[in-house]
């Protein structure tokens, strides 16, 4: 049995509480900017830019920023990253990664942690979700040029259909350099986060989902994704976004609902 009953989805619950929380976020931003010496016109401009990012994230399911910290600080990030992944990287055939739960000192390093934990990034995510955010996972990951048949190299959504608050922040660069990725870039299909995926029910009536509902590997499945996008956004032509090399990109995206993948090829440099 399948169903798409809306009450099963977190995004439609507790709307009034979320709006009250958003009001508190804006009040807190204004207070901090005032205490930092911003003029009223500067505060108005900052809020305008903040709402623009909120709209982009809400409308497309992702928002991209670049160069959140200066290159000197980013060079420190790259240096510490390379040292840590060389020392403790998993060295698997697909990629090498380090679980940062074991290295809170990396996450807390004020020289470079604004590249991925900038206060305005957290405010943007908290405002958009309508509640405080909690960091549950963080990792370093090397991605080398290769042709691989893996979930993250095909169009997919993360397998969490009932938790709209699963959000990821990715920051990417060419390995060991202070420049954006030359290839192996993050790619997504804007607007697909508006969908609600079918789920199944077990014998006890409890909803569940599995990997079969989160991967789009056939031509028909991809066509359906692009057709849904046209209906959701009103576009005449499909729109697919791939991060470019211009600057150091940081992307925030709804991993549990936005169709995306980490595009990998056999050419160019690792990221």
């Amino acid at each position: 049995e399948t169903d798409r009953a809306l009450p099963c989805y977190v995004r439609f619950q507790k709307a009034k509480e979320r709006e009250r929380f958003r009001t508190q976020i804006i009040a807190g931003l204004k207070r901090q900017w005032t205490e930092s010496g911003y003029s009223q016109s500067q505060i108005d401009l900052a809020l305008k830019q903040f709402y623009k990012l909120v709209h982009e994230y809400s409308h497309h399911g992702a928002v991209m920023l670049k160069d959140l910290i200066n290159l000197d600080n980013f060079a420190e990030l790259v240096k510490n990253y390379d040292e840590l992944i060389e020392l403790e990287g998993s060295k698997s055939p697909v990629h090498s990664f380090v679980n940062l739960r074991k290295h809170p000192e990396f996450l807390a390093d004020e020289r470079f942690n604004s590249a991925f934990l900038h206060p305005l990034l957290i405010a943007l995510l908290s405002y958009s979700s309508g509640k405080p955010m909690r960091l549950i996972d963080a990792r370093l990951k090397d991605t080398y040029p290769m042709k691989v048949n893996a979930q993250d190299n095909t169009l997919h959504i993360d397998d969490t259909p009932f938790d709209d608050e699963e959000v990821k922040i990715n920051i990417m660069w060419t390995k060991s350099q202070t420049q954006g990725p030359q290839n192996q870039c993050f790619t997504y299909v804007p607007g697909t986060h508006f969908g609600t995926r079918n789920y199944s029910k077990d014998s006890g009536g409890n909803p569940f989902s599995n990997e079969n509902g989160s991967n789009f590997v056939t031509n028909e499945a991809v066509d359906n994704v692009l057709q849904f996008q046209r209906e959701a956004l009103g576009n005449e032509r499909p729109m697919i976004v791939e991060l470019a090399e211009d600057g150091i990109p940081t992307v925030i995206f709804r991993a549990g609902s936005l169709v995306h993948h980490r595009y990998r090829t056999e050419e160019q440099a690792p990221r």
Side-chain angles (χ1 to χ4, degrees):
E1 180 184 2
T2 60
D3 193 1
R4 284 185 290 187
L6 301 186
C8 287
Y9 293 84
V10 175
R11 74 178 76 171
F12 302 107
Q13 299 175 4
K14 299 183 179 179
K16 291 183 179 179
E17 291 88 340
R18 294 184 183 211
E19 283 305 312
R20 282 197 292 268
F21 182 79
R22 291 185 178 108
T23 300
Q24 293 172 354
I25 288 285
I26 297 301
L29 287 174
K30 289 180 177 179
R31 182 171 60 253
Q32 289 296 321
W33 287 330
T34 299
E35 292 175 357
S36 297
Y38 280 44
S39 67
Q40 186 59 51
S41 61
Q42 289 174 319
I43 292 175
D44 292 341
L45 178 59
L47 278 177
K48 182 179 179 180
Q49 293 172 330
F50 181 77
Y51 285 131
K52 183 178 179 180
L53 292 175
V54 169
H55 174 75
E56 176 73 13
Y57 181 67
S58 174
H59 187 63
H60 285 155
V63 64
M64 292 177 293
L65 302 148
K66 70 174 184 176
D67 301 333
L68 288 178
I69 59 176
N70 64 49
L71 283 182
D72 288 339
N73 290 80
F74 193 81
E76 286 294 328
L77 187 155
V78 172
K79 176 177 178 291
N80 282 263
Y81 174 101
D82 284 348
E83 290 174 352
L84 189 52
I85 207 161
E86 177 64 26
L87 182 65
E88 297 194 24
S90 61
K91 306 295 191 300
S92 78
V94 178
H95 52 240
S96 179
F97 82 95
V98 173
N99 187 344
L100 286 177
R101 292 182 182 183
K102 299 179 180 179
H103 298 278
E105 74 283 354
F106 185 95
L107 295 172
D109 197 315
E110 294 183 355
R111 293 174 298 173
F112 53 74
N113 67 356
S114 286
F116 46 86
L117 290 177
H118 195 287
L120 283 178
L121 292 182
I122 307 306
L124 170 62
L125 292 177
S126 297
Y127 182 91
S128 298
S129 67
K131 61 183 183 181
M133 303 300 292
R134 180 178 62 174
L135 180 64
I136 61 171
D137 190 25
R139 63 184 64 181
L140 312 178
K141 182 184 289 186
D142 276 355
T143 302
Y144 287 88
M146 67 184 300
K147 184 176 182 180
V148 58
N149 185 19
Q151 178 178 344
D152 67 358
N153 199 40
T154 60
L155 288 176
H156 69 279
I157 49 181
D158 289 9
D159 191 25
T160 53
F162 312 124
D163 187 1
D164 189 50
E165 276 66 56
E166 191 202 349
V167 174
K168 288 184 176 179
I169 301 175
N170 281 354
I171 178 168
M172 289 147 282
W173 63 92
T174 300
K175 182 171 173 58
S176 301
Q177 299 182 37
T178 55
Q179 66 179 46
Q182 298 178 37
N183 209 324
Q184 330 303 323
C185 296
F186 180 80
T187 305
Y188 67 93
V189 185
T192 48
H193 64 297
F194 287 118
T196 53
R197 180 175 33 170
N198 281 348
Y199 62 86
S200 301
K201 289 182 179 180
D202 61 22
S203 58
N206 301 307
F208 74 92
S209 180
N210 55 38
E211 292 288 340
N212 292 332
S214 62
N215 296 310
F216 306 91
V217 296
T218 67
N219 290 340
E220 181 182 6
V222 174
D223 287 342
N224 288 339
V225 166
L226 296 178
Q227 178 59 36
F228 176 83
Q229 183 199 60
R230 284 193 287 268
E231 295 173 358
L233 298 183
N235 294 343
E236 293 185 3
R237 302 180 61 182
M239 178 169 58
I240 300 173
V241 177
E242 179 185 357
L243 268 65
E245 185 183 350
D246 181 26
I248 307 296
T250 297
V251 60
I252 309 167
F253 67 103
R254 299 177 183 270
S257 55
L258 184 74
V259 177
H260 65 279
H261 75 147
R262 280 72 153 177
Y263 184 56
R264 297 180 74 172
T265 71
E266 296 177 274
E267 296 81 30
Q268 300 295 335
R271 65 162 167 83

